């Protein structure tokens, strides 16, 4: 587990998809999550959210 990383386990797919895209676009800022999502496509974000 990464200290201070947002805890997304148990959230629904739409919420996770939306939040990951917000980190990617810069609408939400977080040192770890913004870097992780920066290179992800919409399809990769959806796959992660569904997982």
């Amino acid at each position: 587990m990464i200290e201070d990383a947002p805890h997304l386990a148990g959230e629904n797919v739409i919420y996770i998809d939306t939040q990951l895209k917000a980190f990617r676009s810069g609408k939400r800022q977080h040192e770890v999550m913004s870097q992780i999502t920066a290179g992800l496509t919409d399809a990769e974000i959806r796959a992660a959210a569904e997982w």
Side-chain angles (χ1 to χ4, degrees):
M1 179 186 270
I2 299 171
E3 187 177 322
D4 193 38
H7 183 70
L8 299 174
E11 297 291 352
N12 69 53
V13 172
I14 294 170
Y15 176 81
I16 294 173
D17 183 90
T18 301
Q19 297 311 306
L20 293 177
K21 287 176 180 172
F23 285 122
R24 181 183 65 186
S25 72
K27 187 179 280 188
R28 286 193 70 180
Q29 294 288 318
H30 187 274
E31 183 178 345
V32 175
M33 295 302 291
S34 297
Q35 291 178 4
I36 290 171
T37 58
L40 297 179
T41 66
D42 285 350
E44 291 169 328
I45 286 176
R46 177 56 77 152
E50 290 175 347
W51 180 73

